[in-house]
């Protein structure tokens, strides 16, 4: 049923998950045309566009989702992620902190906040944010590895070893964790 927005939305998600981001973008844009008030469509379009490296367009999609639901945590997170990818770190931090205000257990948002801290040479702040990310997302190797990196940069080497080891316990092939350790 190509005339239904939900069918296009699900097609877009399926295409994205099967490694076809260009086709996913097209399907999600069609879904958005059919139902411009779908926050989920705009949020996932932003995800796909960030993956494709089209950060300005990803930011526009996240902001469209926010126009529909100003306090939607995922829309705020994707706005923050797009701003981070555009190297607008101060703006990214504001958006990610707003996402955390709406969902204080949003592990991916804490991860992004930690990455902002690393990029801005605020390593202790980054380590604190990434400790929260690791607490809320204990099964994600990249979160554990990011935490290890922040701890390493903060000079907290024993704790960094623990975080890198935790990442490798989840994924023994994780390159950043292996290099950090």
């Amino acid at each position: 049923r190509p005339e239904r927005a939900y069918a296009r939305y699900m097609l877009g998600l399926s295409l994205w998950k099967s490694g076809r981001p260009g086709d996913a973008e097209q399907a999600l844009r069609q879904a958005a045309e059919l139902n411009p008030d779908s926050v989920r469509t705009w949020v996932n379009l932003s995800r796909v566009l960030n993956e494709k490296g089209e950060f300005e367009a990803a930011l526009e999609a996240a902001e469209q989702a926010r126009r529909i639901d100003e306090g939607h945590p995922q829309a705020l997170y994707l706005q923050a992620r797009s701003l981070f990818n555009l190297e607008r770190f101060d703006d990214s931090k504001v958006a990610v902190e707003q996402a955390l205000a709406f969902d204080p257990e949003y592990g991916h948002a804490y991860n992004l906040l930690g990455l902002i801290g690393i990029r801005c040479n605020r390593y202790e702040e980054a380590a604190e944010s990434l400790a929260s990310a690791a607490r809320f997302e204990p099964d994600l190797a990249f979160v554990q590895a990011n935490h290890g990196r922040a701890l390493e940069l903060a000079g907290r080497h024993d704790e960094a070893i623990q975080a890198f080891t935790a990442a490798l316990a989840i994924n023994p092939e994780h390159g950043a964790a292996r290099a950090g350790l």
Side-chain angles (χ1 to χ4, degrees), residues 8-144:
R8 290 288 172 184
Y9 169 76
M10 293 305 294
L11 175 62
L13 291 182
S14 298
L15 290 165
W16 177 40
K17 295 298 180 182
S18 67
R20 296 171 54 191
D23 294 332
E25 176 189 354
Q26 182 180 7
L28 289 168
R29 287 195 183 279
Q30 290 169 343
E33 287 175 18
L34 294 167
N35 181 7
D37 294 327
S38 171
V39 173
R40 292 186 312 172
T41 298
W42 292 108
V43 161
N44 285 297
L45 178 59
S46 181
R47 286 185 175 119
V48 168
L49 292 166
N50 268 302
E51 183 177 300
K52 289 179 65 182
E54 296 177 20
F55 307 132
E56 287 287 349
L59 178 59
E60 290 173 22
E63 289 175 344
Q64 180 60 35
R66 290 209 54 218
R67 282 190 279 280
I68 299 164
D69 183 352
E70 185 176 322
H72 194 280
Q74 290 175 335
L76 282 159
Y77 168 77
L78 284 156
Q79 180 183 33
R81 181 175 164 200
S82 301
L83 289 164
F84 177 85
N85 288 334
L86 291 166
E87 298 186 359
R88 293 173 50 189
F89 302 122
D90 291 337
D91 295 333
S92 180
K93 184 176 180 184
V94 169
V96 78
E97 287 174 341
Q98 289 175 340
L100 287 166
F102 286 101
D103 183 355
E105 296 182 2
Y106 196 166
H108 288 278
Y110 281 109
N111 184 68
L112 180 57
L113 190 58
L115 295 177
I116 294 167
I118 289 172
R119 289 294 297 265
C120 295
N121 301 318
R122 295 189 303 260
Y123 304 127
E124 284 295 338
E125 185 180 313
E128 184 179 319
S129 296
L130 287 158
S132 295
R135 185 172 60 255
F136 294 119
E137 301 291 348
D139 298 327
L140 296 178
F142 72 88
V143 169
Q144 301 292 340

